[in-house]
Amino acid sequence: MLGTRKGKLFQFMNHKVRCGIGNNRVLMGQFVAFDSHLNLVLSGADEYKRLTHIDEDGDECELEQTRPLGLVFVRGEAVHSIIADKPKKKKKKKKKVEDLPKSADTDSALQKNPKKRPRESDQMDEAEIMARRAALELEMKNRKLTS
């Protein structure tokens, strides 16, 4: 029986998760399915195992072994923790100052696309842009001097 939409785990379906299963083992893979017993199915899973090793000098070292597992069924009894990675957000492309239309070009931009209204930043003249750049450069120099 697959989890229902009401369950909190359902929101992490098809996301990459990290599942702690004891004995210093962690499974990482895509969360595919679960049931009422918290049995999990992970796709493309890798196992990460931490080992402590004592050197000849008597120093304690930690080693991490990894091995690819593929499609894995994890018994719910063995699951200690489930941590989901956040989905990547799409970054919006910012317009450069040079790409903004000048005030003389706003009329032609409106004729091409009448739904697109010019913003105040679209109507800045070059002198204002240069003044803002100079102010930002001065502020950056002051920050470097104070730190």
Side-chain angles (χ1 to χ4, degrees), residues 100-111 122-125:
L100 296 175
K102 297 179 183 173
S103 59
D105 294 336
T106 54
D107 293 332
S108 63
L110 279 175
Q111 289 173 356
D122 293 342
Q123 297 176 352
M124 284 192 286
D125 59 341

Side-chain angles (χ1 to χ4, degrees), residues 19-57:
C19 176
I21 59 170
N23 290 341
N24 294 327
R25 290 187 195 177
V26 175
L27 298 176
M28 286 186 69
Q30 186 175 2
F31 185 44
V32 178
F34 68 99
D35 65 4
S36 61
H37 301 288
L38 201 63
N39 295 325
L40 305 177
V41 178
L42 301 177
S43 162
D46 294 323
E47 178 188 33
Y48 297 90
K49 186 175 181 181
R50 286 186 182 253
L51 300 171
T52 54
H53 176 69
I54 299 175
D55 286 345
E56 297 168 354
D57 301 332

Side-chain angles (χ1 to χ4, degrees), residues 94-106:
K94 294 182 181 179
K95 289 187 177 182
K96 295 181 182 177
V97 176
E98 294 83 21
D99 294 342
L100 296 175
K102 297 179 183 173
S103 59
D105 294 336
T106 54

Side-chain angles (χ1 to χ4, degrees), residues 71-138:
L71 187 65
V72 176
F73 176 86
V74 183
R75 189 172 165 96
E77 221 174 62
V79 175
H80 290 282
S81 64
I82 300 172
I83 300 170
D85 289 346
K86 294 181 181 176
K88 295 180 180 177
K89 294 182 180 178
K90 295 180 182 178
K91 293 183 180 180
K92 293 182 180 178
K93 187 176 179 181
K94 294 182 181 179
K95 289 187 177 182
K96 295 181 182 177
V97 176
E98 294 83 21
D99 294 342
L100 296 175
K102 297 179 183 173
S103 59
D105 294 336
T106 54
D107 293 332
S108 63
L110 279 175
Q111 289 173 356
K112 290 179 185 174
N113 190 357
K115 292 182 181 178
K116 185 178 179 184
R117 297 280 178 206
R119 296 176 292 181
E120 291 177 14
S121 61
D122 293 342
Q123 297 176 352
M124 284 192 286
D125 59 341
E126 287 187 32
E128 189 176 352
I129 292 170
M130 295 300 286
R132 286 187 179 184
R133 282 186 181 166
L136 286 172
E137 288 174 3
L138 182 64

